[in-house]
Amino acid sequence: MKFTNSLKYQNNPVLKESFEFAVSIINYSELLEEKRKYILAKQLLRSGTSIGANIKEAQNAESKADFIHKLKIALKEADETEYWLFLCHNIENYPNPEGLIEKLNGIIKMLNKIISTSKSNSLIR
């Protein structure tokens, strides 16, 4: 799946994973809309696609602190997305989001690791 034209970003796993996750969230949101579950579809679409957008924005941060801040925003969006996905998972008659929850867990782990490493490398707390 193509997610960038820039050679600078092509080997960036968190960018790739978050882009692929956003595509999956769009597809899942469309499925929810087909089932007339508009409110959760809208919430998931907004937060789930925002994760990758914030990660991409962090790649051009003005400083290490700005980079960490933008990744923390992505992590907040990931946490919100997890909330909506678990709601869908626990409501009868909703499509099963289990695969999305697993993908999101991987992204959250990557973000936590990148943030932690960036903080320790620059002594920003």
Side-chain angles (χ1 to χ4, degrees), residues 2-117:
K2 185 173 182 174
F3 68 98
T4 185
N5 284 326
S6 173
L7 293 174
K8 173 178 160 182
Y9 300 133
Q10 284 179 352
N11 294 318
N12 187 319
V14 73
L15 277 176
K16 180 180 182 290
E17 292 296 321
S18 63
F19 182 85
E20 290 174 359
F21 180 76
V23 170
S24 297
I25 281 291
I26 291 166
N27 290 329
Y28 184 76
S29 295
E30 288 176 354
L31 183 60
L32 288 176
E33 285 186 356
E34 287 173 13
K35 296 184 175 288
R36 301 172 53 90
K37 313 294 186 192
Y38 302 114
I39 294 172
L40 283 177
K42 183 178 178 180
Q43 293 289 357
L44 270 169
L45 186 63
R46 186 195 58 74
S47 65
T49 56
S50 180
I51 299 164
N54 281 293
I55 293 169
K56 181 78 180 255
E57 186 177 345
Q59 304 311 301
N60 292 301
E62 295 175 13
S63 65
K64 185 65 83 172
D66 188 38
F67 176 76
I68 292 167
H69 176 71
K70 286 176 175 30
L71 289 184
K72 283 183 174 181
I73 292 170
L75 188 57
K76 286 180 182 184
E77 294 294 336
D79 285 342
E80 179 181 343
T81 302
E82 181 184 59
Y83 177 81
W84 299 123
L85 288 173
F86 272 109
L87 273 179
C88 291
H89 180 75
N90 287 288
I91 298 173
E92 199 172 310
N93 300 322
Y94 271 60
N96 187 349
E98 194 62 41
L100 289 170
I101 292 170
E102 289 174 23
K103 286 181 185 179
L104 183 58
N105 267 348
I107 293 167
I108 289 171
K109 285 178 184 174
M110 281 191 269
L111 285 171
N112 278 320
K113 181 68 175 167
I114 294 166
I115 291 167
S116 174
T117 301

